[in-house]
């Protein structure tokens, strides 16, 4: 009797698929309204921050979400195991959304909620991807890429419905109602995960040797040191939200460099081949960071463009600014099956570096389109179809980089860093998000069209450079050389 499968993949993928879908509903629902909530005036029940500051906050919030994936991977590898880490991460995320849904004028519950969501996502996000990677045997690279593409579909199902539902509920200053909808989404996802846990037995179990000695003490010391530093900074009278976002960005960059040095310069029983593959991975990491720097401006810079410069009407139906965040996942759902089949068909003829380079050039071209739209917006609101086009162009880049990046990380990760390196992959998001959040300051010296063109140029140049070094990177990664073209 044949085992039950999920679109030809192990059935456990169905449980991970549904859990990720609802968790992403909660994440993208919050993300779709967070920047406009922060920029809204207190009279509109918002925090009253400037657009520039809101962009920086959303950037470092997104960055911290991904930065904590690194300790989240370590906890799973050494203490909880991936399966339990996903559960407790989801529980913390649920508490965070509940905190943000509390309808009080004080922002304390908002900051507490964001902190809880950051902590929970660090446990859930990298480890659920680890479990997907472990569904496939070594050498089954094409099927693994296809599986990750299907898994990526779950992300975008949640991402599509969340901005529409949460944006509609939050309209008219009902922000906390929108935050409450995100909490409901996470509650459903957690329930799905518990109900499907029998399919995951043996997958992501705790390590045989649990290493928790001193963990609580180190975490407490780290939290205390951070609190003391922030308290001293606040007492000096120089602490502002803007300066805090800059400081967090610098810390993220230092942590990234420090962690790669830790992997490469320490012994960790890495083989010579693993070290060479890590050197190749660093280049892919840098390329991904540039990609996310531009791509993840959607919930801030592009959201503000939708709010201020766009005629929010589709087929004669009015939409909210948050709804424009649903364009991208809609296109991804359309094209994920195409790309999943494409990677299997192409096999080794198109390399990972080539896919990354294509993604960089594509995301750069999307901002060329944004520059044109911004120039036209100088004489009045432009059609929302400009944003539709931007997100359509970006989709081809994202599907060439994001699911492929998850897959290549599981392949290149040294044995001693399997869970942790997926955390490092998410740090590429952190680097890109934090720097992208700070790019809003360029608006002080650049016109809006020039702003988009500067970022577009950076991405295109980086993509072309990656194309030039594809052969060297493939050798370092031990990827198969391209097969002869079929006539």
């Amino acid at each position: 009797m044949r085992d039950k499968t999920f679109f030809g993949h192990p059935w456990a993928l169905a449980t991970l698929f549904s859990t990720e879908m609802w968790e992403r509903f909660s994440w993208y629902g919050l993300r779709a309204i967070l920047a406009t909530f922060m920029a809204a005036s207190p009279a509109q029940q918002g925090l009253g921050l400037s657009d520039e500051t809101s962009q920086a906050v959303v950037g470092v919030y997104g960055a911290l979400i991904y930065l904590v994936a690194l300790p989240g991977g370590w906890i799973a590898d050494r203490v909880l195991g991936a399966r339990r880490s996903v559960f407790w991460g989801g529980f913390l995320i649920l508490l965070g959304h509940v905190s943000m849904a509390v309808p009080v004028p004080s922002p304390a519950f908002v900051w507490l909620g964001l902190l809880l969501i950051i902590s929970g996502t660090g446990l859930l996000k990298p480890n659920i991807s680890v479990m997907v990677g472990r569904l496939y045997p070594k050498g089954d690279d094409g099927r693994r890429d296809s599986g990750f593409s299907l898994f990526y579909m779950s992300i975008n199902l949640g991402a599509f419905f969340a901005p529409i539902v949460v944006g509609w509920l939050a309209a008219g200053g009902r922000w906390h109602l929108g935050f409450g909808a995100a909490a409901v989404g996470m509650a459903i996802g957690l329930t799905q995960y518990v109900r499907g846990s029998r399919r995951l037995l043996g997958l992501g179990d705790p390590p045989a040797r649990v290493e928790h000695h001193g963990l609580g003490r180190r975490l407490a010391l780290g939290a205390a040191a951070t609190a003391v530093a922030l308290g001293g900074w606040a007492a000096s009278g120089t602490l502002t939200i803007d300066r805090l976002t800059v400081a967090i960005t610098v810390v993220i960059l230092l942590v990234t460099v420090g962690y790669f040095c830790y992997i490469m310069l320490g012994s960790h029983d890495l083989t010579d081949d693993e070290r060479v593959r890590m050197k190749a991975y660093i280049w892919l990491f840098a390329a991904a960071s540039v990609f996310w720097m531009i791509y993840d401006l959607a919930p801030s810079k592009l959201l503000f463009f939708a709010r201020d410069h766009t005629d929010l009407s589709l087929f004669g139906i009015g939409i909210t600014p948050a709804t424009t965040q649903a364009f991208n996942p809609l296109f991804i759902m359309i094209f994920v099956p195409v790309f999943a089949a494409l990677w299997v068909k192409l096999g080794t003829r198109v390399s990972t570096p080539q896919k990354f380079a294509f993604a960089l050039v594509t995301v750069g071209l999307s901002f060329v389109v944004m520059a044109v739209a911004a120039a036209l917006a100088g004489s009045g609101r432009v059609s929302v179809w400009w944003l539709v086009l931007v997100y359509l162009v970006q989709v081809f880049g994202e599907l060439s980089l994001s699911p492929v990046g998850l897959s290549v990380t599981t392949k290149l990760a040294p044995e001693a860093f399997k869970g942790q390196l997926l955390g490092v992959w998410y740090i590429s998001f952190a680097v890109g998000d934090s720097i992208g959040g700070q790019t809003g300051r360029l608006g002080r010296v650049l016109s809006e069209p020039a702003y988009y063109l500067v970022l577009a140029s950076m991405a295109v140049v980086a993509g072309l450079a990656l194309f030039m070094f594809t052969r060297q990177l493939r050798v370092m990664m031990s990827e198969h050389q391209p097969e002869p073209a079929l006539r």
Side-chain angles (χ1 to χ4, degrees), residues 60-94:
V60 297
Y61 164 66
L64 289 173
I65 283 282
Y66 294 112
L67 181 67
V68 294
L70 187 59
W74 185 92
I75 290 171
D77 280 352
R78 301 293 194 268
V79 183
L80 292 176
R83 185 160 49 87
R84 292 181 181 176
S85 295
V86 169
F87 171 79
W88 288 110
F91 184 69
L92 287 175
I93 293 170
L94 173 59

Side-chain angles (χ1 to χ4, degrees), residues 89-115:
F91 184 69
L92 287 175
I93 293 170
L94 173 59
L95 293 180
H97 286 298
V98 170
S99 177
M100 295 194 68
V102 176
V104 296
S106 171
F109 283 99
V110 172
W111 303 121
L112 173 62
L114 294 178
L115 181 61

Side-chain angles (χ1 to χ4, degrees), residues 16 265 269 284 302 354 357 395 460 468:
L16 301 177
L265 301 180
D269 296 322
L284 297 179
L302 300 192
Q354 287 172 324
V395 158
V460 171
M468 291 175 60

Side-chain angles (χ1 to χ4, degrees), residues 24 27-28 31 58-67 69 125 129 152 155 252 256 281 284-297 356 398 401-403 405-406 409 422-437:
R24 291 290 89 182
W27 158 247
Y28 282 101
R31 195 176 91 141
V58 170
V60 297
Y61 164 66
L64 289 173
I65 283 282
Y66 294 112
L67 181 67
K125 189 63 179 168
S129 298
Y152 208 62
I155 295 173
I252 289 171
T256 303
Y281 184 76
L284 297 179
F285 177 95
S289 298
V290 174
F291 179 88
W292 298 121
M293 177 187 70
I294 295 177
Y295 182 86
D296 277 348
L297 290 175
F356 273 52
E398 182 179 5
L401 183 141
S402 192
L406 283 170
T409 299
L422 270 171
V424 172
W425 166 248
Y426 286 113
I427 291 180
S428 71
F429 293 60
V431 172
D433 283 14
S434 58
I435 295 176

Side-chain angles (χ1 to χ4, degrees), residues 124-145:
L124 186 149
K125 189 63 179 168
N127 293 306
I128 198 169
S129 298
V130 167
M131 294 171 73
V132 173
R134 289 176 179 170
L135 293 174
Y136 304 93
K138 290 184 178 180
D140 197 2
D141 294 346
R143 197 157 169 258
R144 182 186 291 108
D145 282 2

Side-chain angles (χ1 to χ4, degrees), residues 238-371:
T238 60
L239 174 61
T240 65
I241 294 177
D242 274 325
R243 289 172 179 168
L244 181 60
T245 63
V246 172
I248 292 173
T249 300
V250 172
V251 169
I252 289 171
L253 294 175
L254 292 176
V255 167
T256 303
V257 173
Y259 197 76
F260 275 118
C261 289
Y262 167 71
I263 294 176
M264 298 300 297
L265 301 180
S267 61
H268 312 299
D269 296 322
L270 266 64
T271 66
D272 290 340
D273 286 342
E274 285 178 331
R275 290 185 185 278
V276 172
R277 288 197 294 268
M278 278 302 301
K279 290 179 181 178
Y281 184 76
I282 290 172
W283 288 104
L284 297 179
F285 177 95
S289 298
V290 174
F291 179 88
W292 298 121
M293 177 187 70
I294 295 177
Y295 182 86
D296 277 348
L297 290 175
S300 55
K301 189 69 175 179
L302 300 192
L303 182 61
F304 291 141
F305 185 87
R307 181 196 64 187
D308 299 332
H309 302 297
T310 304
D311 178 15
L312 293 170
S313 176
L314 272 176
F315 304 109
I317 301 172
I319 61 174
T320 66
T323 300
T324 61
Q325 299 292 288
F327 298 158
N328 180 275
L330 173 62
F331 290 131
I332 290 176
M333 287 189 289
I334 293 172
F335 289 104
V336 154
V338 177
F339 275 76
L342 180 64
W343 299 146
V344 174
K345 183 176 180 61
L346 291 176
T348 60
R349 285 176 288 177
V350 177
S351 69
T352 298
Q354 287 172 324
K355 294 172 185 176
F356 273 52
F358 175 78
L360 284 169
V361 172
T362 302
V363 80
L365 293 178
S366 76
F367 262 37
V368 173
V369 176
M370 275 304 304

